[in-house]
């Protein structure tokens, strides 16, 4: 069997950076003001000042390096900068609706929290042709795989950096755990 089209996703472990300081920084940005984008409940920060917040510089440097490697692997022109970055803190019962990140090339997430127990809210990446495939392909699968799945779920893990094309629809499941789910999100061009 040959692949006709493929959707690239890159996952890298960045647990070597100072995640405790990054976590503390993020928590300082998640006050009780409610800023809604795709989130239902939870705390969505304003964009970080990535050029002046020194605590973020090692993370931003690693994100750009991994993104450039990803572009090389994809044989596309390399990205040059992080457009924007923010964090979301989802407590029990909070989630993020399906959305895309328009006007960017790559999007990504980084997980600086202490723990991500089962049920804290998997990230789901939705097949771009989901709405077309849903008519005839849904419920035909014997075993779900990269060829027949409409949605792929990714369990968050401390230190995980995940990159994906910005056109990929995605959402976060309801946090059913008693642990807070902290994530840094960003766009790259």
């Amino acid at each position: 069997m040959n692949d006709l089209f493929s959707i690239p996703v890159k996952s890298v472990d960045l647990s070597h950076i100072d995640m405790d300081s990054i976590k503390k920084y993020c928590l300082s940005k998640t006050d009780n003001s409610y800023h809604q984008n795709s989130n239902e409940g939870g705390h969505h920060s304003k964009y970080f000042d990535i050029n002046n917040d020194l605590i973020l510089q090692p993370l931003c440097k690693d994100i750009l390096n991994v993104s450039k490697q990803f572009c090389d692997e994809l044989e596309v022109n390399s990205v040059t900068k992080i457009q924007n970055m923010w964090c979301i803190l989802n407590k029990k019962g909070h989630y993020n609706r399906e959305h895309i990140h328009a006007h960017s090339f790559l999007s990504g997430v980084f997980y600086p929290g202490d723990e991500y127990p089962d049920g804290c809210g998997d990230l789901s990446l939705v097949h771009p042709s989901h709405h077309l495939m849903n008519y005839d392909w849904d419920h035909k699968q014997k075993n779900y795989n990269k060829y027949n799945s409409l949605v792929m779920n990714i369990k968050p893990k401390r230190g995980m950096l995940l990159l994906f094309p910005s056109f990929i629809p995605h959402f976060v499941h309801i946090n059913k755990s008693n642990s807070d789910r902290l994530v840094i999100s960003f766009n790259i061009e």
Side-chain angles (χ1 to χ4, degrees), residues 61-90:
K61 181 179 177 185
D62 281 355
I63 288 171
L64 276 176
N65 286 338
V66 171
S67 298
K68 288 175 181 179
Q69 292 170 357
F70 194 27
C71 287
D72 287 345
E73 293 166 9
L74 297 174
E75 297 182 1
V76 297
N77 291 331
S78 189
V79 293
T80 58
K81 71 175 187 172
I82 298 173
Q83 290 174 279
N84 45 41
M85 180 181 280
W86 63 96
C87 69
I88 298 174
L89 180 68
N90 281 349

Side-chain angles (χ1 to χ4, degrees), residues 29-45 87-97 175 180-183:
K29 301 296 183 184
T30 55
D31 58 20
N32 288 326
S33 63
Y34 189 67
H35 180 75
Q36 186 174 7
N37 280 336
S38 68
N39 54 308
E40 290 293 336
H43 301 285
H44 188 298
S45 76
C87 69
I88 298 174
L89 180 68
N90 281 349
K91 295 182 178 289
K92 188 171 188 172
H94 300 159
Y95 64 98
N96 296 80
R97 294 181 314 275
N175 184 350
D180 292 347
R181 180 190 188 277
L182 180 64
V183 63

Side-chain angles (χ1 to χ4, degrees), residues 12-30:
V12 176
D13 180 9
L14 294 184
S15 58
H16 65 276
I17 64 174
D18 184 359
M19 286 190 293
D20 291 334
S21 295
I22 292 173
K23 175 188 169 189
K24 184 177 177 181
Y25 172 87
C26 288
L27 293 175
S28 75
K29 301 296 183 184
T30 55

